[in-house]
Amino acid sequence: MSEGNSIKKFMFVNRKAPYGTIYALESLEVVLITAAFDQDVSLVFMDDGVYQLKKGQQTKGIECKNFSPAYRALEGYDIEKLYVDKESLEARGISEEDLLVDVTVLGAAELGELMNQQDVVLSF
Amino acid sequence: MLHIINKSPLSNNSLDSCLRVAQSGGDILLIEDAVYAATTGNAFEGKIREALEKFKIHVLQPDLEARGLADRIIAGVSPVDYGGFVDLTTANNNCQSWL
Amino acid sequence: MSTIDVGGKSYETDEEGYLVNLSDWNKDVANYIAQTENIEMTDQHWEVINFLREYFEEYQIAPAVRVLTKAIGKKLGADKGNSEYLYGLFPYGPGKQACKIAGLPKPTGCV
């Protein structure tokens, strides 16, 4: 950690729906901070976490900040590795076209393999 | 890779998701309320028995004892103490604490 | 909680001088905050401020300096999308100072 230019592989595993708990928003903030330090960041959305990327979120009625537009800003932060679990999408009747950013849909085995390759895996 | 689970599989799907995604050969450590998964008669027992063919499954003994279930550990699941917990984290390249 | 008074109206700010309510922002407030930062607003300053407001409108976050610099370069040209130019306009950091003047929250990860 002491070398100034050491780049680590960080994976953020997002498994919670966006507004019921604070996890999704907290994850997003940590992701943006990590990216500012030029780390190799990848994001996984599985289980209810896939709901974070659902298009058309309108939060006026619940008086919460709609943070979903920020996922579209990730590209500008050079965060381009967004993986979504195929089975989680299917279990929720959501397709890739329902999502507000471009993602790579992966099966469980491929996700597990990616997970194993990380230096740091953080759950949200 | 070490996967740490701390929720009962009957109230939370972390363990289910972990078992589905984790690469075979990995270590899974059940702590806190996840220790219920390691006990006989629990509705999750069948899944644990199946998972034992793919993973090394460990359970944190003090958490089992605290819940009065130290005598009901599923055969094949290995109990560890806090030192064993540390050994597991150092023996693996990386680790995920599932929420 | 502090307040600033501009044109006979009072606006809430946090302890660092960032507007609490994003909807409070207007050009007079921007000019006032700029003055407290010892910045004299020029067209070049406004160009960055307007860019930041548009960015926030679209993504709901204040961009990190590196991201802002790159995005400005894309939109306004390479002669403006670089640190020398942006720090020339906002000496204490385009993230910190420009976001404050633009009425945005402090960028995430900016300490």
Side-chain angles (χ1 to χ4, degrees):
Chain A
M1 295 281 257
S2 56
E3 315 93 283
N5 59 351
S6 78
I7 294 181
K8 289 197 173 198
K9 287 166 85 81
F10 282 81
M11 174 179 276
F12 294 85
V13 181
N14 300 286
R15 297 180 49 246
K16 305 276 194 285
Y19 302 104
T21 61
I22 197 73
Y23 291 106
L25 179 57
E26 290 286 317
S27 171
L28 186 58
E29 298 220 329
V30 180
V31 165
L32 294 175
I33 291 167
T34 312
F37 288 96
D38 285 327
Q39 298 298 308
D40 179 339
V41 175
S42 56
L43 272 57
V44 169
F45 297 87
M46 61 185 289
D47 296 325
D48 281 350
V50 301
Y51 286 132
Q52 294 176 24
L53 301 181
K54 176 71 180 64
K55 270 183 195 161
Q57 298 174 34
Q58 302 283 350
T59 60
K60 252 204 172 81
I62 59 169
E63 293 184 16
C64 278
K65 181 187 165 80
N66 176 8
F67 53 86
S68 67
Y71 294 106
R72 288 190 289 104
L74 292 175
E75 202 184 349
Y77 281 75
D78 297 320
I79 299 174
E80 283 159 348
K81 293 180 220 166
L82 272 60
Y83 304 108
V84 174
D85 172 41
K86 185 164 181 282
E87 207 167 299
S88 302
L89 280 180
E90 284 168 3
R92 287 157 185 81
I94 291 181
S95 67
E96 216 177 319
E97 294 75 54
D98 294 320
L99 305 181
L100 47 78
V101 281
D102 288 334
V103 301
T104 306
V105 177
L106 295 179
E110 295 160 297
L111 279 176
E113 199 181 326
L114 276 176
M115 223 172 250
N116 269 27
Q117 294 162 4
Q118 304 300 312
D119 294 307
V120 181
V121 182
L122 295 165
S123 270
F124 285 93
Chain B
M1 181 169 188
L2 171 65
H3 296 271
I4 301 172
I5 306 283
N6 74 341
K7 302 282 193 305
S8 164
L10 303 186
S11 63
N12 182 293
N13 70 349
S14 300
L15 183 52
D16 261 315
S17 293
C18 170
L19 294 178
R20 186 163 65 77
V21 168
Q23 281 212 301
S24 52
D27 284 299
I28 296 174
L29 172 62
L30 306 170
I31 64 168
E32 300 168 17
D33 285 349
V35 301
Y36 292 117
T39 60
T40 54
N42 185 290
F44 211 80
E45 182 178 351
K47 285 190 183 169
I48 290 291
R49 289 194 185 280
E50 223 174 278
L52 279 166
E53 321 223 323
K54 242 179 115 179
F55 308 104
K56 286 162 276 174
I57 303 182
H58 315 265
V59 62
L60 192 64
Q61 181 78 10
D63 278 331
L64 257 189
E65 287 169 3
R67 289 162 179 77
L69 289 162
D71 56 342
R72 292 181 65 169
I73 188 164
I74 295 170
V77 174
S78 35
V80 294
D81 55 14
Y82 291 113
F85 189 159
V86 175
D87 291 341
L88 278 171
T89 56
T90 55
N92 278 278
N93 286 329
N94 60 357
C95 149
Q96 174 171 203
S97 289
W98 293 69
L99 272 182
Chain C
M1 199 71 73
S2 331
T3 55
I4 52 173
D5 295 306
V6 184
K9 266 194 80 180
S10 195
Y11 301 93
E12 270 182 289
T13 65
D14 68 10
E15 65 276 10
E16 291 178 277
Y18 289 82
L19 281 184
V20 171
N21 302 305
L22 274 52
S23 55
D24 278 350
W25 188 87
N26 58 50
K27 294 217 157 184
D28 293 336
V29 172
N31 276 317
Y32 179 89
I33 298 174
Q35 215 181 323
T36 65
E37 297 280 326
N38 290 318
I39 286 174
E40 199 175 324
M41 294 295 284
T42 65
D43 287 350
Q44 283 77 41
H45 289 92
W46 281 113
E47 201 172 41
V48 175
I49 298 302
N50 291 332
F51 180 90
L52 271 174
R53 295 205 46 96
E54 282 165 28
Y55 185 97
F56 190 84
E57 182 64 33
E58 183 166 358
Y59 300 119
Q60 298 297 305
I61 52 170
V65 181
R66 180 173 62 87
V67 177
L68 172 72
T69 309
K70 205 171 71 177
I72 285 202
K74 227 183 228 173
K75 179 134 189 243
L76 305 174
D79 54 327
K80 294 181 176 171
N82 62 75
S83 321
E84 291 80 4
Y85 177 77
L86 292 171
Y87 274 87
L89 294 174
F90 303 99
Y92 286 94
K96 246 179 191 167
Q97 279 186 314
C99 283
K100 195 188 274 191
I101 297 168
L104 306 186
K106 196 154 100 169
T108 299
C110 178
V111 282

